Amino acid sequence: MSSALLESLAEAFTGDADRRALLDATVREGLPPPRTEAWKYTSLRGLERRRFAPAAPVPADEALLAAIPAPRLVFVNGRHAPALSRLDGLADGVQVGSLAEALGGGQARATYFLDRRFERPDEVFARLNAALADDGLVVRVADGVSAGALHVVFV
């Protein structure tokens, strides 16, 4: 069954070949039908007819962020905004970055969770999330280190 939702997500895809294969398989399988046990009380008809497009980049008002102390990592429309982020004040042994940086830098350990496979047909949205994730927060804390506060801001 064709789904405008799945087709629009596939058209906007920018990830690697492994995640593309996962997305293509999900598009072929489609959204779960109403008789699927996990979805029998949730109609997906309205959702499957909708098309989605990636959010356009928008400027964020730096003055709104001025009161949020460092360290802070800022995301605007789901994308890391390095110019608005401030990482000074991080404890030694704490590394903070974006998922996009980890994906671009081939940091397999930081992105291993994207390799999880969701085999059941009712896990369609988990598969979509794994296939389409292209930015997010990556935090590494060394053993025995107290990380302290980290402000994560979504605009």
Side-chain angles (χ1 to χ4, degrees):
M1 173 193 287
S2 179
S3 164
L5 165 71
L6 296 176
E7 289 171 7
S8 67
L9 295 175
E11 290 166 4
F13 181 76
T14 60
D16 62 27
D18 289 337
R19 291 177 27 229
R20 180 69 209 206
L22 178 61
L23 179 60
D24 289 344
T26 304
V27 169
R28 276 192 307 276
E29 292 171 17
L31 295 176
R35 293 188 187 264
T36 303
E37 182 65 25
W39 292 96
K40 69 182 179 182
Y41 297 113
T42 306
S43 174
L44 298 174
R45 278 194 188 143
L47 184 60
E48 72 184 359
R49 291 189 289 246
R50 294 200 53 189
R51 295 186 63 78
F52 288 86
V58 295
D61 185 354
E62 291 184 47
L64 292 174
L65 302 172
I68 301 172
R72 72 171 180 247
L73 206 65
V74 179
F75 292 83
V76 178
N77 278 351
R79 304 277 183 250
H80 177 230
L84 301 173
S85 300
R86 287 186 44 216
L87 296 180
D88 48 302
L90 279 176
D92 288 338
V94 177
Q95 295 177 322
V96 176
S98 75
L99 178 60
E101 292 167 353
L103 288 168
Q107 300 174 26
R109 188 169 181 203
T111 61
Y112 75 93
F113 68 94
L114 294 175
D115 294 334
R116 180 171 173 204
R117 294 295 173 233
F118 302 93
E119 304 300 332
R120 294 190 344 242
D122 62 346
E123 296 178 309
V124 62
F125 293 104
R127 285 195 308 273
L128 286 173
N129 189 52
L132 298 171
D134 59 4
D135 211 350
L137 175 62
V138 177
V139 178
R140 291 187 198 97
V141 181
D143 287 341
V145 171
S146 175
L150 170 64
H151 301 273
V152 182
V153 182
F154 295 93
V155 179

